[in-house]
């Protein structure tokens, strides 16, 4: 194994606290959203941070597999991660939905790319068999 890079962030105060990365690029107050899932616009939460990280990592994985599948241009593509914070009789858990818009490919190629990206994405690997992850190919109307 070759480590490409490491990064770190420290939280103080838990879900009503603050998180800061060692380089200061992330420096955010943490606060639970309201029952409607909305934040106060000034703070964030672990699920929002995870959604940002997972969508970005998965988009990078799509770019990597696209070339392997003969796709040179993904166009104005996007990945939206929706992270659910849930509770059942066993406690709290999260789930994820990845909505992928790939405007330059047909449905079959898009599904191939999404499935291939899911195999190599480090976040997909980390969550595999731990949380439910739903993959969606979005189609422009």
């Amino acid at each position: 194994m070759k480590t490409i890079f490491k990064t770190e962030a420290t939280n103080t105060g838990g879900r009503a606290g603050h998180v800061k990365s060692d380089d200061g690029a992330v420096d955010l107050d943490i606060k639970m959203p309201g029952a409607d899932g909305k934040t106060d616009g000034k703070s964030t939460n672990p699920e929002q941070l995870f959604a940002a990280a997972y969508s970005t990592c998965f988009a990078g994985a799509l770019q990597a597999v696209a070339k392997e599948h003969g796709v040179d241009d993904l166009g104005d593509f996007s990945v939206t991660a929706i992270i659910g914070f849930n509770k059942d009789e066993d406690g709290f858990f999260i789930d994820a939905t990845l909505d992928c818009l790939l405007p330059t490919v047909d449905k079959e190629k898009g599904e191939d790319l999404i499935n291939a990206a899911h195999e190599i994405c480090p976040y997909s690997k980390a969550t595999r068999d731990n949380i439910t992850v739903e993959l969606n190919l979005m189609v422009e109307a």
Side-chain angles (χ1 to χ4, degrees):
M1 177 179 88
K2 177 184 174 190
T3 301
I4 298 170
F5 72 88
K6 290 184 180 184
T7 188
E8 64 183 69
T10 301
N11 171 278
T12 54
R15 285 184 171 267
H18 193 86
V19 66
K20 185 174 181 179
S21 63
D22 60 336
D23 65 359
V26 174
D27 191 355
L28 303 165
D29 288 332
I30 304 294
K31 184 176 178 184
M32 286 293 290
D36 60 358
K38 303 289 184 201
T39 67
D40 61 9
K42 299 174 190 166
S43 57
T44 189
N45 58 71
E47 292 70 35
Q48 198 172 48
L49 293 168
F50 184 63
Y54 199 171
S55 65
T56 301
C57 191
F58 199 85
L62 280 168
Q63 289 172 309
V65 300
K67 297 205 182 310
E68 296 172 4
H69 285 79
V71 177
D72 293 326
D73 181 18
L74 286 173
D76 196 13
F77 79 104
S78 65
V79 177
T80 301
I82 301 109
I83 305 300
F85 182 68
N86 310 290
K87 184 178 181 185
D88 65 10
E89 61 277 353
D90 295 325
F92 297 103
F93 65 98
I94 61 172
D95 59 29
T97 301
L98 299 176
D99 289 344
C100 305
L101 177 64
L102 305 174
T104 64
V105 298
D106 63 25
K107 182 179 181 214
E108 183 178 345
K109 180 65 80 174
E111 289 175 352
D112 288 346
L113 291 175
I114 290 169
N115 289 325
H118 192 50
E119 290 301 311
I120 70 161
C121 173
Y123 279 73
S124 291
K125 288 179 179 181
T127 60
R128 191 164 290 125
D129 299 323
N130 292 310
I131 70 169
T132 300
V133 177
E134 182 180 336
L135 304 174
N136 294 323
L137 176 62
M138 307 307 286
V139 179
E140 290 182 310

